[in-house]
Amino acid sequence: MAGHELIAAQVDILASRLPAQAVEELADGLQETYEAHLAVVNDPDTAARMAIAEFGDAEMITTAFCRESPWRRTAVALLATGPIMGAVWGVSLVCAQAWTWPIPLAVRITSGVVLVATALTLLAAATEKRTYRRTLAATLVGAIALITLDAVMLTAATMAPSLALWPLMPALSASLIRIIATLRALLSPALSRSGGGSR
Amino acid sequence: MRAEALKGHLDGLLLATLEGGPQHGYAIKEALRESTEGHIDLPTGTVYPALHRLERAGLISGSWSVVGGRRRRTYELTAEGRKALSDERDSWQEFAGAVTAALGTRPWPATS
């Protein structure tokens, strides 16, 4: 059965916001809805409008996909654990008397700026409602930045004096756990997609 | 029915809809509407992300086929999904019984 231009336009909007396989599935559902209405009202324009009303507009569907996105969940989890990680690192650095370490001021400022930018990027991923791809991109950027920061801290700690290392152990362990958990969260949706999933 | 009343129960409803056999997104939404006599009539497009979440959780599995020249994704319950559905039913019956008793329509727990 032939489609309708309104249905095609709706699919085009969805295609600009959602992953290709999800769009393919939605297009089939939208066409199915359109055909069901067409069989009843026998008027293509009315059937197309009724189908879109029943299916939900692109805004509503995109919001639903962003809300259920595994990428958004990763961003929310990283944001939620951020204050705990900050507290663990804060206590550990105070115990290790980190202010006495010979770290250049520029490095300290850069680390702080990167940390704030990472938090803002993850916040953007968690609150994005209009474009699924933006949720994905912001989560990837934020998560990779966080992994890099954790890795830098782990590397820097190995260069610290041995006496300063013990107070840092809780924070270093926490960072190591976060690196593993974040990598796992990032790889899980990618692996499910390569296995035939629609994300 | 108000959307917020469905919170926490949508997964169970979708799993129950798939209990009879594999179905695609639109058919799942229609089956849900018919089984609830029109009380639960979700915007079709919002059913898909919930199905994807259930698939990621391993409760349903999806597969592609070609129908009428279009690619279609069909979902079916996994063994884990059947167990989750059974748990959901038990927990709903307990919850519904308690609320019904609290609203004063019948005693709970039932003592026949």
Side-chain angles (χ1 to χ4, degrees), chain A residues 32-46:
Chain A
E32 190 86 353
T33 312
Y34 166 67
E35 288 173 7
H37 284 292
L38 187 60
V40 175
V41 299
N42 209 24
D43 173 46
D45 292 343
T46 308

Side-chain angles (χ1 to χ4, degrees), chain A residues 100-134:
Chain A
T100 61
W101 297 359
I103 300 172
L105 184 63
V107 173
R108 293 174 195 225
I109 291 173
T110 305
S111 303
V113 169
V114 170
L115 191 59
V116 171
T118 301
L120 290 175
T121 305
L122 290 171
L123 189 63
T127 54
E128 173 63 40
K129 290 178 181 169
R130 288 181 54 82
T131 310
Y132 188 93
R133 289 188 189 96
R134 216 174 288 162

Side-chain angles (χ1 to χ4, degrees), chain A residues 87-106:
Chain A
V88 171
W89 266 105
V91 170
S92 296
L93 288 172
V94 168
C95 292
Q97 297 184 326
W99 60 88
T100 61
W101 297 359
I103 300 172
L105 184 63

Side-chain angles (χ1 to χ4, degrees), chain A:
Chain A
M1 193 177 288
H4 190 280
E5 59 187 17
L6 284 178
I7 302 293
Q10 193 73 358
V11 172
D12 285 345
I13 297 172
L14 291 169
S16 68
R17 299 176 175 189
L18 297 170
Q21 285 193 314
V23 175
E24 205 168 7
E25 191 180 3
L26 288 165
D28 173 54
L30 192 50
Q31 182 66 22
E32 190 86 353
T33 312
Y34 166 67
E35 288 173 7
H37 284 292
L38 187 60
V40 175
V41 299
N42 209 24
D43 173 46
D45 292 343
T46 308
R49 277 193 293 274
M50 288 172 78
I52 291 168
E54 182 188 332
F55 203 77
D57 61 21
E59 209 73 46
M60 180 190 285
I61 295 167
T62 311
T63 301
F65 267 92
C66 288
R67 194 173 50 235
E68 299 282 5
S69 157
W71 305 106
R72 179 182 171 273
R73 281 162 198 263
T74 300
V76 169
L78 289 173
L79 280 171
T81 53
I84 300 167
M85 290 295 291
V88 171
W89 266 105
V91 170
S92 296
L93 288 172
V94 168
C95 292
Q97 297 184 326
W99 60 88
T100 61
W101 297 359
I103 300 172
L105 184 63
V107 173
R108 293 174 195 225
I109 291 173
T110 305
S111 303
V113 169
V114 170
L115 191 59
V116 171
T118 301
L120 290 175
T121 305
L122 290 171
L123 189 63
T127 54
E128 173 63 40
K129 290 178 181 169
R130 288 181 54 82
T131 310
Y132 188 93
R133 289 188 189 96
R134 216 174 288 162
T135 305
L136 190 162
T139 302
L140 280 180
V141 169
I144 289 169
L146 217 46
I147 288 171
T148 308
L149 278 173
D150 278 331
V152 166
M153 293 304 278
L154 284 169
T155 310
T158 60
M159 296 176 204
S162 56
L163 277 177
L165 195 57
W166 284 108
L168 290 178
M169 287 313 281
L172 294 173
S173 306
S175 277
L176 196 58
I177 290 168
R178 181 162 68 176
I179 288 174
I180 294 166
T182 307
L183 281 173
R184 200 175 155 189
L186 293 182
L187 289 174
S188 172
L191 289 176
S192 97
R193 185 177 51 215
S194 67
S198 57
R199 271 102 11 233

Side-chain angles (χ1 to χ4, degrees), chain A residues 21-22 24-26 28-29 31-33 35-36 54-56 60-61 64-65 68-70 73 196-199, chain B residues 24-26 29-30 33 41-46 48-53 55-56 64 67 70-73 75:
Chain A
Q21 285 193 314
E24 205 168 7
E25 191 180 3
L26 288 165
D28 173 54
Q31 182 66 22
E32 190 86 353
T33 312
E35 288 173 7
E54 182 188 332
F55 203 77
M60 180 190 285
I61 295 167
F65 267 92
E68 299 282 5
S69 157
R73 281 162 198 263
S198 57
R199 271 102 11 233
Chain B
H24 60 93
Y26 179 70
K29 178 260 181 192
E30 278 299 286
R33 187 177 64 80
D41 191 10
L42 302 167
T44 315
T46 62
Y48 293 93
L51 290 171
H52 292 182
R53 178 169 43 75
E55 190 180 8
R56 276 196 304 276
W64 288 100
V67 178
R70 297 196 303 269
R71 290 229 308 154
R72 170 166 295 169
R73 192 157 179 83
Y75 298 93

Side-chain angles (χ1 to χ4, degrees), chain B residues 11 14 37 39 49 66 69 87 92 111:
Chain B
D11 291 3
L14 293 174
E37 296 173 342
H39 288 291
V66 177
D87 292 347
W92 170 256
T111 53

